[in-house]
Amino acid sequence: MSGVAGKAELEAARLLLSRMGISPADLVAVASDRPPAPTFAEYVPVVAAAVSAGTRRAYGSYWKRVVEQWGQRRIDEPTPSEIERLAEYVKTHVVARRNARGGRSAAEHLIAALRCLYRRAVADGFLSQAENPALKVAKPRRLPSTRRALADTRLAEINEVAASTGDDPASDSLLLRLHTETACRRGGPSLCGRSTWTRISV
């Protein structure tokens, strides 16, 4: 397809608009009434102030990266292809960590951060839902998790060593029992109340 509407398509569009009671002039008027889109440097603080603290923590670093790359561009300028290129840039420049997955999570979070920003932009009337470029970019497919449970034999070995070595074997065994029975993370013991410790030690 050439991407250019032919005579039949134009006639069909005119017929549809006339049945809806809309003229081409109405469409032009709606577009001209739209407020001018702000730049990313102007709009990111607006969005950050409107979302929850948890959302700011999750997306703040990615919005900062967007401002670094596109700060002076209007939010209605980037295309889906440009978002994909930015996601690839973030993916290849992610800080390497022990549990890194090749930057896939960074690319996924960048796209999610832009989707959040563009949802606000649609709600604020800077562009329509159909013009939202972030919705036209697919998130990277997640890789299978590398986490796995300890085998019962290995867990028994760990408990045996903890109960027979160290400065305080009783406390070490109690901590291991806490993690085994509650599946809490490393910070869990500091959040446990006295009643929890009492129940576990029984």
Side-chain angles (χ1 to χ4, degrees):
M1 296 180 64
S2 64
V4 178
K7 183 177 180 180
E9 288 83 357
L10 292 175
E11 289 298 332
R14 292 192 186 98
L15 177 61
L16 178 61
L17 289 174
S18 64
R19 288 181 176 177
M20 296 173 63
I22 300 173
S23 69
D26 294 331
L27 299 178
V28 174
V30 169
S32 63
D33 289 342
R34 179 183 295 174
T39 64
F40 284 97
E42 294 169 337
Y43 197 58
V44 164
V46 174
V47 175
V51 299
S52 67
T55 301
R56 281 195 298 275
R57 284 194 300 271
Y59 298 150
S61 62
Y62 298 96
W63 287 334
K64 181 179 179 181
R65 184 64 63 89
V66 169
V67 171
E68 289 173 355
Q69 297 293 319
W70 294 342
Q72 300 311 308
R73 297 187 68 183
R74 295 196 320 270
I75 62 173
D76 59 353
E77 291 180 353
T79 64
S81 295
E82 288 179 302
I83 292 177
E84 289 176 353
R85 285 199 295 270
L86 182 59
E88 190 63 27
Y89 175 84
V90 169
K91 179 180 175 181
T92 56
H93 289 77
V94 69
V95 177
R97 293 187 172 88
R98 181 176 57 84
N99 60 344
R101 308 298 300 276
R104 297 173 73 94
S105 292
E108 178 183 354
H109 284 102
L110 173 78
I111 295 170
L114 282 171
R115 287 183 178 181
C116 177
L117 183 145
Y118 278 110
R119 278 197 301 271
R120 303 295 309 185
V122 170
D124 288 338
F126 294 120
L127 67 165
S128 69
Q129 184 75 1
E131 294 169 324
N132 183 340
L135 289 180
K136 301 172 185 178
V137 179
K139 291 183 179 180
R141 181 175 297 177
R142 292 190 177 184
L143 296 174
S145 175
T146 57
R147 293 184 176 183
R148 56 186 176 82
L150 286 173
D152 290 342
T153 53
R154 180 54 58 88
L155 185 59
E157 292 173 0
I158 293 172
N159 279 282
E160 182 180 350
V161 171
S164 59
T165 62
D167 297 331
D168 192 351
S171 294
D172 292 341
S173 297
L174 192 60
L175 281 171
L176 282 172
R177 186 176 173 188
L178 168 69
H179 288 287
T180 301
E181 296 190 9
T182 68
C184 66
R185 293 175 179 259
R186 285 180 295 180
S190 64
L191 301 176
C192 274
R194 186 182 184 92
S195 59
T196 304
W197 283 100
T198 302
R199 288 197 303 272
I200 294 174
S201 61
V202 172

